[in-house]
Structure formats: C-alpha cells, structure tokens
Amino acid sequence: MDPQKVKDYYQEIQKVIDQVGYAIQGVFPNEEGICVCYTIGLSPLLGAECIVAGPISLQTLYQTLRSNIDELIKDKEQLSEKEFVGGTLLNGEDLRCKYVDVSNKHHLKNFMTVRVNEVNKVFQMYLADKNNILPDEDGYDRSFDQEVK
C-alpha cells in the first residue's frame, strides 16, 4: 500500500478523533464472515477501547457500537458486565448486548495498541443471538460466532 495513502488515512482518523473524541473503525468480513468494529481514541474518555464482532453487517455492528458510547462515557461504571440495548430485532424486541472486559486477551490489546497509542483495557460488546440469548446464557446459538481471532 502507498505510504502516503496510509498517512492520509491516519490523518483523517485523527481529524475525527479531534472533532468527536474517538473514531470507530470497521473491518470487512474475514473468510468466516466475521466483521469487526473497534474504537480508536476512546481510552481517554472511557478508560478503555471497545470492540464488537459478529457474522452480521459492518453497518449494523457500527450502529450498535455507536448507539451507547455516549451513555458509557457519562457513566463509566456501567461498562463492566452490564446489559445494554444495542438496537431492535426484526420482531421489534430490544437487542440485548453486554460489554465484557477482554483485556486478558493479549491479541486484542496488541491489535488495538498498533492502531492507537497505549491501550490498557479492552471491552468487547457481545450481542444476543437471533433468539435474544447472550453468549453466557443457556441456549445461546454457538454458530453466532463473535470471537475476534
């Protein structure tokens, strides 16, 4: 890739961070169909960066992550292990989601540190499956893979 294009791209991200306080980066699906969205520059505001992944559209992941960041910034204590509404399912029910501290997953910290400065904490937003069951609950559909590899 052209080094100047990379430099220009990072400058654009920095402009967004300067204007909004953070940016959200999307990664198109891998060979398994998993898309990823993650924050850049959120640590100074929240004390952590956030990531969400799943076999659903990049736009849906982006909107779901973006939908509750402002609320999290206002009350940082809510972040740990609390359930949130991440959108609306086709049947009209609220989509359940939950942030889990995944800072012990070194590959995520390393991945995000390359893109931002120092990352001390990483929280992953886990989404409920099509039956609105979260990954840590009985009956969760394991085919709804949300792991970032």
Side-chain angles (χ1 to χ4, degrees):
M1 181 173 255
D2 178 1
Q4 184 59 46
K5 286 184 179 181
V6 172
K7 183 178 177 184
D8 292 346
Y9 177 73
Y10 283 123
Q11 287 176 341
E12 286 300 314
I13 289 175
Q14 189 59 54
K15 283 181 190 175
V16 172
I17 293 170
D18 292 344
Q19 292 172 350
V20 181
Y22 64 93
I24 298 176
Q25 175 65 49
V27 179
F28 287 105
N30 62 16
E31 57 280 348
E32 296 158 352
I34 308 297
C35 293
V36 177
C37 281
Y38 60 92
T39 61
I40 303 171
L42 189 59
S43 288
L45 298 171
L46 187 62
E49 296 294 333
C50 297
I51 190 167
V52 61
I56 55 179
S57 77
L58 198 53
Q59 181 181 10
T60 300
L61 289 177
Y62 175 91
Q63 290 172 338
T64 303
L65 182 58
R66 175 69 187 95
S67 70
N68 55 42
I69 287 179
D70 291 337
E71 180 183 340
L72 292 173
I73 291 169
K74 288 177 190 167
D75 186 1
K76 297 174 182 86
E77 298 302 315
Q78 293 187 66
L79 188 59
S80 185
E81 307 287 333
K82 184 179 180 219
E83 192 175 309
F84 286 88
V85 173
T88 306
L89 296 171
L90 292 176
N91 65 7
E93 285 183 52
D94 289 338
L95 170 64
R96 299 169 59 216
C97 65
K98 183 196 260 185
Y99 283 96
V100 176
D101 187 340
V102 293
S103 301
N104 62 341
K105 294 185 177 181
H106 297 290
H107 69 286
L108 288 180
K109 277 179 74 172
N110 292 340
F111 169 81
M112 297 179 90
T113 297
V114 169
R115 287 152 179 83
V116 295
N117 293 322
E118 187 64 28
V119 173
N120 293 314
K121 280 199 149 207
V122 178
F123 280 84
Q124 182 167 353
M125 177 197 290
Y126 286 98
L127 307 174
D129 65 12
K130 65 183 176 207
N131 297 312
N132 221 10
I133 299 171
L134 289 165
D136 60 349
E137 297 173 342
D138 289 339
Y140 176 75
D141 179 0
R142 298 281 170 218
S143 69
F144 188 66
D145 186 12
Q146 299 182 64
E147 290 307 312
V148 181
K149 298 169 178 100

